Amino acid sequence: MGMVSDYQPQDGGDAMNNYLKNVSKVEAPSAADTLLSQLEKAGVDYIFANGGTDFPPIVEAYCKAEAEGRKLPQPIVVPHENTAVAMAHGVYLATGKMQAVMVHVNVGTANTINAVLDASREQIPMLLMAGRSPYSEKGHLGTRTRYIHWAQEMFDQAGMIREAVKWDYELHLPDQVGDVVNRAIEVANSSPKGPVYLTLPRDILAAPDSSAEGRSKMRPAVAQSMPAAQDIERIASWLREAERPLIVTGSTGRDSETFQALAEFANRYAVPVTSYHQRFNSISTDHPFNAGGDPMPWVREADFILVLDCDVPWIPQIAEPADDAKVVHVGEDPIFARYPMRSFQSDMSMASRSVDVLESLLAELGEELPVAESRRGLLVERIASAQARIRTESEPKEHLTPEYISRVIGEVADPDAVIVNEYPLRVEHCSRTEPGTYFGLSPAGGLGWGLGAALGIKLASPEKDVICTMGDGAYIFTNPTASHWVAQAQGLPVLTIIYNNALHGAVRNSTLAMYPGGHSSKSAGRMLADLSPTPAFETLAGAEGLGLRVETVEELKPAIERALAATREGRQALINVICDY
């Protein structure tokens, strides 16, 4: 796409003369001018773009604004759509502000779907825009002038992505563009948040917008309701009676306010907190009631479970709550309505922010809960003992292990460094004590997200160290050439650490779990999971970057220290850690 030049008639030809006359008539702002101006008014900082033949009106609008001294969202060229969406995702994680992405027609949209699914399941708002083949076949500015404009038209371009977005629309009228942008942002930021999709035909983008001066104001996003007093009283009564309460979360640590409220609640009432498939740092790794990442043993014995922002709080095949246990689900969308099948036990579901529920319960229950004091000592001892066992797993051994690698990363990284993890880092072994310092892959599991998200976080937080941990398989998915090019072009010195075991661990582990004594176990589950021979990933950091290969325990810590020093000097760095696990 974007590689074959437009058809150019001979000088003086009728087609060219008519084309130039049409151009000279365009005096009002184009729909593309209004589109970009409205995004600026809405607070969008960046447009991550991978362009094509549908982009000329956008290019012209940017150049016009530059000539006139008008500020617009900063355009960031990203030469792969998956990386572009992941970067917008990362900026939102760092700032809480939605961003925009623009890609090329149907083929560009197709390349975004993996990353958009990640954003959708993680409730990340963003505006994904895509070109569309021009409606007109002749006679209009922006009409079809290339062979590919026929081949890339679809009956329903949005159909391929509709299930991954909250809203989709196609721009039909140039004077509607500002209101369409407002609507898109309103829907994306309403609760539960998520991505939206807008298609933009080139001839409509190029057409004049006669209503640019009469633009309606932005409407506020739909807010979540506060928890009802009677519901808080009911939950509080269950907690007063509970002998073995439990909190299960996955995404509660989206903001520092909720992080602090959860820490206070767990400590005041002696409630263990498990973070299952953790995507955010919801509770400090050194909190006395951080019960780790496996809720199953706790779920079996709990008589009250508070599920906070967690789509899958336990695996029914492995563990379920007792029939008489009280279970409360809390979140912007506590039932995860977009999941086709989800049937976890529930006595109450509250569509409220977790922080509002926690703070309401703190006020309702007060400073003391007598039943809590009877379990406090035993719980602290049990959790401390479990944490001690975990620490032994990360002790240095003869060969590098993911547990030891994770521990060393936590020891070397500053407390406010941001770690973006696409699977291999073991959170329970990596010290993270502050909110906003750990982000894990979306529940959707779309690979190739991590490095793009890390670049977006670094773009929004240039003062922070940003470390991306990935398996070798995930790193291949991340479009390394595109990602490292963006890092160099935009000055985003991120440290990438690859846990390289030359296989797809998810495939191997699932096979061995299903067939522990089967034929596949004879080859250690490597069938269709083997990624050997492994490339020399350390050579991909670019001529200006630092690439290191680590094969021994002794080499690891000095390599991470050296790589972080390089990023602080403005160079991207990559460490290829060879570890057999």
Side-chain angles (χ1 to χ4, degrees):
M1 49 189 174
M3 299 302 293
V4 182
S5 60
D6 282 347
Y7 167 70
Q8 299 289 340
Q10 295 296 316
D11 290 346
D14 291 340
M16 177 59 79
N17 289 335
N18 289 334
Y19 176 84
L20 294 173
K21 288 178 183 177
N22 285 333
V23 171
S24 66
K25 291 177 183 178
V26 179
E27 297 177 357
S30 70
D33 291 324
T34 305
L35 171 77
L36 297 177
S37 296
Q38 200 67 11
L39 289 173
E40 171 67 23
K41 291 176 185 176
V44 172
D45 298 313
Y46 304 103
I47 297 180
F48 300 96
N50 189 20
T53 62
D54 34 13
F55 272 61
I58 298 294
V59 174
E60 181 67 12
Y62 264 116
C63 294
K64 179 180 177 183
E66 183 179 8
E68 296 174 354
R70 288 186 290 109
K71 185 176 183 297
L72 295 176
Q74 182 181 344
I76 305 287
V77 175
V78 185
H80 197 283
E81 297 85 351
N82 199 46
T83 306
V85 175
M87 288 187 70
H89 188 147
V91 172
Y92 179 79
L93 292 176
T95 66
K97 295 174 62 178
M98 72 171 285
Q99 304 302 321
V101 177
M102 187 165 176
V103 300
H104 182 43
V105 294
N106 58 349
V107 289
T109 299
N111 270 346
T112 70
I113 295 175
N114 177 68
V116 173
L117 284 167
D118 282 336
S120 177
R121 287 295 191 233
E122 200 57 86
Q123 299 177 357
I124 303 296
M126 70 176 64
L127 172 56
L128 173 61
M129 301 176 289
R132 182 215 186 271
S133 291
Y135 289 132
S136 59
E137 294 185 287
K138 60 181 179 179
H140 295 269
L141 178 61
T143 194
R144 300 185 186 192
T145 56
R146 294 192 53 191
Y147 169 90
I148 207 166
H149 286 149
W150 282 264
Q152 288 184 330
E153 185 176 28
M154 297 179 70
F155 291 106
D156 183 13
Q157 180 172 304
M160 72 175 85
I161 200 171
R162 185 162 293 130
E163 190 165 339
V165 298
K166 294 180 63 180
W167 172 94
D168 67 86
Y169 193 74
E170 184 163 297
L171 183 65
H172 298 286
L173 300 169
D175 55 5
Q176 190 186 25
V177 64
D179 292 329
V180 168
V181 170
N182 283 358
R183 178 61 173 163
I185 293 174
E186 176 186 47
V187 173
N189 279 314
S190 66
S191 184
K193 297 181 171 84
V196 294
Y197 180 68
L198 175 62
T199 50
L200 302 167
R202 186 173 81 162
D203 44 0
I204 303 301
L205 273 180
D209 172 14
S210 59
S211 67
E213 297 302 321
R215 187 65 49 225
S216 62
K217 293 181 180 179
M218 290 288 294
R219 287 167 287 181
V222 178
Q224 276 297 301
S225 59
M226 291 293 291
Q230 62 268 27
D231 290 335
I232 292 297
E233 291 169 3
R234 191 178 180 196
I235 298 171
S237 69
W238 289 338
L239 271 165
R240 290 188 184 100
E241 298 171 359
E243 296 180 358
R244 298 174 302 282
L246 172 67
I247 292 174
V248 182
T249 184
S251 300
T252 301
R254 286 176 182 267
D255 58 81
S256 59
E257 188 181 18
T258 313
F259 180 92
Q260 300 298 340
L262 179 59
E264 181 180 354
F265 186 92
N267 193 55
R268 187 187 294 186
Y269 306 127
V271 181
V273 177
T274 63
S275 301
Y276 194 39
H277 279 253
Q278 183 175 345
R279 277 100 63 194
F280 298 81
N281 195 28
S282 298
I283 189 166
S284 174
T285 49
D286 62 5
H287 192 286
F289 291 98
N290 182 346
D294 182 7
M296 307 308 167
W298 299 90
V299 164
R300 294 188 190 100
E301 62 188 56
D303 56 4
F304 172 85
I305 302 176
L306 183 59
V307 180
L308 300 176
D309 301 302
C310 189
D311 50 349
V312 181
W314 57 82
I315 304 295
Q317 180 70 18
I318 300 173
E320 289 191 277
D323 290 340
D324 59 352
K326 300 299 183 183
V327 182
V328 177
H329 295 254
V330 174
E332 292 187 24
D333 175 21
I335 66 170
F336 293 85
R338 296 296 298 272
Y339 284 40
M341 189 61 197
R342 184 181 184 274
S343 56
F344 296 99
Q345 180 179 331
S346 178
D347 294 279
M348 184 188 299
S349 292
M350 300 183 68
S352 299
R353 296 192 311 157
S354 290
V355 65
D356 293 331
V357 172
L358 290 169
E359 290 181 346
S360 296
L361 286 171
L362 286 165
E364 177 69 23
L365 291 166
E367 292 298 324
E368 296 182 2
L369 194 62
V371 68
E373 298 312 309
S374 66
R375 61 176 174 260
R376 182 179 299 275
L378 289 176
L379 272 174
V380 169
E381 183 179 347
R382 176 180 174 181
I383 291 171
S385 177
Q387 290 175 342
R389 288 195 301 272
I390 287 173
R391 282 194 293 272
T392 64
E393 296 172 4
S394 63
E395 291 296 328
K397 299 178 174 58
E398 184 178 350
H399 300 291
L400 286 163
T401 65
E403 291 79 16
Y404 178 69
I405 299 167
S406 304
R407 172 179 165 175
V408 173
I409 291 171
E411 290 173 349
V412 174
D414 288 343
D416 65 347
V418 180
I419 296 176
V420 180
N421 179 32
E422 191 160 349
Y423 282 136
L425 181 125
R426 308 303 197 241
V427 188
E428 62 271 25
H429 296 282
C430 182
S431 175
R432 292 289 87 198
T433 59
E434 301 297 325
T437 60
Y438 175 85
F439 300 105
L441 180 63
S442 158
L447 294 181
W449 164 85
L451 186 48
L455 292 171
I457 292 170
K458 186 66 175 179
L459 179 66
S461 307
E463 75 284 359
K464 292 185 177 181
D465 292 334
V466 179
I467 302 170
C468 178
T469 56
M470 311 185 79
D472 51 309
Y475 179 70
I476 293 170
F477 270 88
T478 206
N479 305 295
T481 301
S483 296
H484 290 301
W485 179 86
V486 172
Q488 182 173 336
Q490 298 297 329
L492 303 175
V494 166
L495 167 57
T496 304
I497 300 177
I498 301 172
Y499 290 51
N500 187 352
N501 62 354
L503 58 77
H504 274 308
V507 178
R508 185 267 312 271
N509 297 341
S510 295
T511 301
L512 294 180
M514 284 187 68
Y515 302 103
H519 294 284
S520 51
S521 67
K522 294 179 175 61
S523 61
R526 297 189 74 93
M527 170 63 70
L528 299 183
D530 195 337
L531 293 179
S532 60
T534 181
F537 293 124
E538 66 274 12
T539 65
L540 300 182
E544 298 181 9
L546 172 66
L548 301 172
R549 182 183 180 92
V550 168
E551 299 186 28
T552 68
V553 169
E554 293 74 20
E555 293 173 325
L556 181 64
K557 187 174 182 179
I560 296 175
E561 291 172 337
R562 181 183 172 193
L564 279 174
T567 64
R568 292 163 187 164
E569 295 169 357
R571 302 167 64 199
Q572 60 178 314
L574 184 149
I575 307 176
N576 182 16
V577 184
I578 309 302
C579 47
D580 185 14
Y581 65 96

